[in-house]
Amino acid sequence: MTPAAPGGIAAQPGPAAPPLLAVRGLSQRYRLPRQHLLQRSPVVQALDGVSFTLEAGRSLGVVGESGSGKSTLARLVMALEAPSTGQVLFEGRDLHALPPRSLRAARAGFQMVFQDPYGSLDPRRTVLQTVAEPLALLQGRQPMADADQRRQAAAEALEAVGLRAADLDKVPHQFSGGQRQRIAIARALITRPRLIVADEPVSALDVSVQAQVLNLLQQLQHTHGLSYLFISHDLAVVDHLCDEVLVLQRGRVVEQGPPQTLFTTPQHPYTQQLLQAAAGAAPQSAAPA
Ligand code: ADP
Ligand code: MG
């Protein structure tokens, strides 16, 4: 007979849980089409040996000017394409080494919100079809075949982002940009992810709407225990939302730290330059007060 565990005594600490997300030496090279018959095709090093970890419930900002590799990083973390080298460990599992079935099932844990709420929503699909779509793509998990269940899950996701169940049968053009981005966020939430990768999620929105969507993301982080990999060229937004910031220049991490120190005492000339450019471009920040 196994003796019952004595009450009040803490369990033996097991092996430390892996971080939610660990990126190890991630690089991506793209080969461009040849410009000339005699030329070798040029190669772009879009990402170059990027490593970081992101713990559950935290948010990591990624900043860098256009072309620095931010979206490439997002696609690799989301396993939308394979890296040239390196690993993406989600909850300890190397996504790029998983067999397709396991990867499909693992996708429930991480979802993405894209920049453009116009381009990322299919204009012919209803909100219900759009929001419930990730459920259909998940195989290997309990398939949610029941239409009522799907509708119920989609309604809950919509309500979590401040929309109504009555919106389920509408189509995207009936919504404003901010509302469309809320629909995109609802679609990301429906699989109950632990990680959301947001690539410039408010950059396409009016400044007045940006703060509302950022507030929503922040509120969802608390209520759903989410972690964010939050990509933005707007330093003020990252300053407000993120616990840690990573500065990318030409595919490399040149500086990393909490925004309070990174944005007040930047060490790397490139970070200093980004800050100066941001100060010069003000006012364009929409960080909620
Ligand atoms: P960011 O999101 O920071 O603007 P990207 O990750 O989009 O940067 O791009 C990084 C670099 O990689 C750029 O030089 C870009 O032109 C190049 N790049 C990105 N995706 C591709 C691709 N699919 N094929 C070729 N080059 C690409
Ligand atoms: Mg980009």
Side-chain angles (χ1 to χ4, degrees):
M1 195 181 92
T2 318
I9 294 184
Q12 288 290 321
L20 181 82
L21 175 68
V23 164
R24 300 276 174 255
L26 205 58
S27 297
Q28 186 69 311
R29 289 152 65 91
Y30 295 111
R31 202 166 276 285
L32 302 178
R34 278 196 296 192
Q35 306 291 318
H36 188 275
L37 264 181
L38 300 175
Q39 198 189 29
R40 305 183 97 207
S41 47
V43 165
V44 184
Q45 186 80 45
L47 216 59
D48 192 358
V50 169
S51 299
F52 61 83
T53 56
L54 172 59
E55 299 291 342
R58 310 277 290 173
S59 35
L60 175 67
V62 180
V63 300
E65 63 195 337
S66 178
S68 56
K70 305 183 299 294
S71 294
T72 300
L73 175 62
R75 290 194 302 274
L76 296 179
V77 166
M78 288 298 300
L80 296 175
E81 64 186 49
S84 307
T85 56
Q87 295 177 313
V88 176
L89 302 154
F90 180 72
E91 295 175 338
R93 299 200 297 166
D94 182 357
L95 295 181
H96 294 284
L98 287 180
R101 275 177 75 98
S102 312
L103 176 59
R104 252 199 321 270
R107 287 193 184 282
F110 51 94
Q111 293 286 334
M112 185 149 178
V113 176
F114 295 90
Q115 171 173 357
D116 178 11
Y118 295 89
S120 67
L121 302 184
D122 186 334
R124 292 155 307 181
R125 300 182 131 213
T126 64
V127 172
L128 171 61
Q129 288 169 326
T130 297
V131 172
E133 182 186 39
L135 294 177
L137 298 176
L138 288 176
Q139 289 169 15
R141 286 181 105 222
Q142 192 68 14
M144 214 190 240
D146 187 304
D148 289 342
Q149 266 181 312
R150 270 203 310 272
R151 198 179 172 88
Q152 179 61 30
E156 281 170 22
L158 270 194
E159 279 158 10
V161 300
L163 296 173
R164 296 170 311 131
D167 294 325
L168 283 173
D169 301 307
K170 298 181 183 167
V171 286
H173 82 255
Q174 295 177 271
F175 296 91
S176 68
Q179 288 171 325
R180 286 180 202 213
Q181 203 57 321
R182 286 173 192 265
I183 294 169
I185 295 167
R187 172 172 59 188
L189 287 177
I190 201 162
T191 63
R192 303 181 182 276
R194 275 80 71 199
L195 170 68
I196 288 188
V197 176
D199 189 356
E200 305 271 10
V202 298
S203 307
L205 304 177
D206 288 347
V207 170
S208 60
V209 181
Q210 288 187 11
Q212 296 166 17
V213 173
L214 291 171
N215 280 331
L216 169 67
L217 288 171
Q218 208 161 27
Q219 175 227 315
L220 290 171
Q221 177 164 37
H222 295 127
T223 51
H224 291 62
L226 295 169
S227 297
Y228 290 126
L229 184 64
F230 192 93
I231 293 168
S232 179
H233 68 274
D234 189 333
L235 304 188
V237 166
V238 168
D239 187 14
H240 186 83
L241 221 75
C242 299
D243 308 301
E244 181 94 4
V245 186
L246 194 143
V247 182
L248 269 189
Q249 181 191 28
R250 280 185 248 110
R252 292 179 188 222
V253 178
V254 295
E255 191 165 358
Q256 184 176 353
Q260 308 88 282
T261 47
L262 204 118
F263 291 149
T264 51
T265 51
Q267 300 301 305
H268 195 279
Y270 181 71
T271 315
Q272 294 165 359
Q273 195 187 310
L274 284 180
L275 279 163
Q276 276 163 14
Q284 37 94 281
S285 135

